[in-house]
Amino acid sequence: MARYARGAARAPKQRVQLAAVAAAGIFALIGVLGFIPGITTGYGDMTFAGHHSEARLLGLFQVSILHNALHLGFGLAGLLMARSVAGARVFLAGGGALYLGLWLYGFAIDRESAANFIPVNDADNWLHLVLGFGMLALGLLLSNQVGTGTRPDAPFDRP
């Protein structure tokens, strides 16, 4: 009874929304973990931005304060966007495209130049490739029939 006190019952979350919440939660967690000494090696050598940061998340991924803040902000934005099916689609598919662009950027720049301001290393680049394709696939495949008025289990020959 209390469930209906403020209006109609909420519709259950769609698969695309659940995937967006999971991805966003991981990004937010990674952003926080990047600020924890021990989980981030070389913590004392972390810079605000730039390729001079010697801090490594899990001893592998080059991070800076800016890099960690971007992960945290991206995760929090994703959690907000996952409240709607359309927002979840945009977060996953758009975020996937963004990460594929970041992957290309990481390979195009001179890592010892000011262009490497985030910063990125080889481990980051390969992770960006996997994240880009993974998020893009989730955003497109999990939402192909959501919001179209078609039930996912409906036969294709229906009018």
Side-chain angles (χ1 to χ4, degrees), residues 41-57:
T41 59
Y43 187 81
D45 296 323
M46 186 183 302
T47 61
F48 176 76
H51 65 280
H52 298 293
S53 181
E54 293 299 321
R56 303 270 190 278
L57 179 63

Side-chain angles (χ1 to χ4, degrees), residues 73-148:
F74 188 65
L76 294 176
L79 290 172
L80 290 174
M81 293 175 76
R83 295 173 68 189
S84 72
V85 171
R89 285 178 184 159
V90 169
F91 174 71
L92 289 171
L98 181 74
Y99 268 88
L100 288 174
L102 186 57
W103 170 69
L104 290 173
Y105 178 77
F107 277 110
I109 62 168
D110 174 8
R111 300 231 185 98
E112 296 302 317
S113 72
N116 192 10
F117 66 96
I118 296 178
V120 294
N121 62 8
D122 283 335
D124 289 305
N125 282 338
W126 290 109
L127 182 60
H128 293 156
L129 174 66
V130 170
L131 287 171
F133 279 123
M135 289 177 70
L136 191 60
L138 286 172
L140 297 176
L141 297 176
L142 291 181
S143 63
N144 63 347
Q145 292 182 337
V146 175
T148 62

Side-chain angles (χ1 to χ4, degrees), residues 4-107:
Y4 300 102
R6 296 172 84 196
R10 291 182 182 194
K13 294 253 187 245
Q14 298 291 331
R15 292 180 303 168
V16 68
Q17 289 175 282
L18 296 174
V21 166
I26 291 169
F27 277 106
L29 178 64
I30 294 300
V32 170
L33 292 177
F35 289 114
I36 299 176
I39 295 173
T40 299
T41 59
Y43 187 81
D45 296 323
M46 186 183 302
T47 61
F48 176 76
H51 65 280
H52 298 293
S53 181
E54 293 299 321
R56 303 270 190 278
L57 179 63
L58 304 173
L60 190 61
F61 304 101
Q62 188 176 11
V63 294
S64 65
I65 294 170
L66 176 63
H67 200 148
N68 293 332
L70 289 171
H71 281 136
L72 187 57
F74 188 65
L76 294 176
L79 290 172
L80 290 174
M81 293 175 76
R83 295 173 68 189
S84 72
V85 171
R89 285 178 184 159
V90 169
F91 174 71
L92 289 171
L98 181 74
Y99 268 88
L100 288 174
L102 186 57
W103 170 69
L104 290 173
Y105 178 77
F107 277 110

